[in-house]
Amino acid sequence: MQGRSHLLVGLAAGVVIDSIFHLSGPPLTGAHEVSLNLLVDKGVYYFAVGLGALLPDIDNARSTLGQKLGVISKGIQRLAGHRTFFHSLMGLAFGSLLAIGLERVVSYLLELRGYQFPAHFVSSSHVFFFGVLFGCIFHIAADALTLGGVPLLWPLKQRFGFPPDSHWRFRTGSWPEFVIVWVIMILVALGVYNSVIAI
């Protein structure tokens, strides 16, 4: 999938997961009072989901994240190639370790800015870690819908996709990708709208 599709699918999935498990705190819909701390927590969570949704494509210098990282992404692509390590279970484990490190950095930066409660919340609830992890998982799941599939068991070269018959999958950037992304967005928007009406 393209970068914007990964971002939209990741954020939509992040909304669904957060509405079920309240990882970033209570929902904003129907809240009587919205504190700055709650907004920071939501912001950190959704930033992390967005980052995770783009992270596996760090191995593609032309990807959304790859263009931002320049030389780093080019080096990774030259070394490993695209859709290899970072689109596998091993890459997911590596991304999880990276997320834990980034979580500590985010918590430290929030403390420097004087946001003591959000900093404590981020480090104790692991909201940044879960956000990055979910974003990465949905990136890999979305790429499994494409013709190329994903090498889940890398370094084994076998690729997996859904549905298993590649004739039912789509080419990156083709019209089915946009249909799938917009259907997901509409379903999430309807779910949020219904939850607001129910309150």
Side-chain angles (χ1 to χ4, degrees):
M1 278 194 171
Q2 296 180 329
R4 64 175 174 258
S5 298
H6 279 303
L7 195 56
L8 290 172
V9 168
L11 289 172
V15 168
V16 172
I17 289 170
D18 194 34
S19 66
I20 294 170
F21 298 107
H22 307 296
L23 294 170
S24 66
L28 295 176
T29 53
H32 298 294
E33 186 179 329
V34 177
S35 67
L36 179 61
N37 286 339
L38 179 59
L39 290 176
V40 170
D41 295 340
K42 296 280 182 196
V44 167
Y45 171 74
Y46 287 107
F47 172 79
V49 171
L51 177 64
L54 297 175
L55 189 60
D57 277 344
I58 195 173
D59 62 7
N60 181 357
R62 292 180 295 150
S63 69
T64 303
L65 187 61
Q67 290 175 14
K68 303 283 186 228
L69 296 177
V71 173
I72 295 170
S73 189
K74 285 179 184 173
I76 292 171
Q77 186 173 2
R78 203 174 304 117
L79 193 67
H82 179 49
R83 277 206 200 177
T84 55
F85 173 73
F86 288 99
H87 286 72
S88 69
L89 295 175
M90 194 181 299
L92 198 56
F94 175 78
S96 299
L97 292 174
L98 182 64
I100 290 170
L102 287 172
E103 181 179 78
R104 306 234 181 234
V105 170
V106 168
S107 180
Y108 173 73
L109 292 174
L110 286 171
E111 279 183 15
L112 280 181
R113 294 278 187 188
Y115 297 114
Q116 297 298 325
F117 175 74
H120 174 72
F121 180 80
V122 166
S123 61
S124 64
S125 68
H126 303 294
V127 69
F128 191 87
F129 165 74
F130 284 119
V132 172
L133 179 63
F134 293 145
C136 287
I137 288 171
F138 283 102
H139 178 112
I140 293 169
D143 275 349
L145 298 172
T146 65
L147 280 174
V150 289
L152 279 181
L153 302 177
W154 187 90
L156 297 178
K157 293 185 178 181
Q158 182 182 2
R159 290 184 172 248
F160 299 87
F162 182 82
D165 182 354
S166 63
H167 292 95
W168 290 94
R169 301 197 296 258
F170 60 86
R171 187 177 305 282
T172 298
S174 62
W175 67 266
E177 174 178 331
F178 300 109
V179 170
I180 289 169
V181 169
W182 279 105
V183 166
I184 290 170
M185 297 297 294
I186 290 168
L187 289 175
V188 170
L190 287 173
V192 170
Y193 176 77
N194 285 336
S195 70
V196 171
I197 295 299
I199 290 173

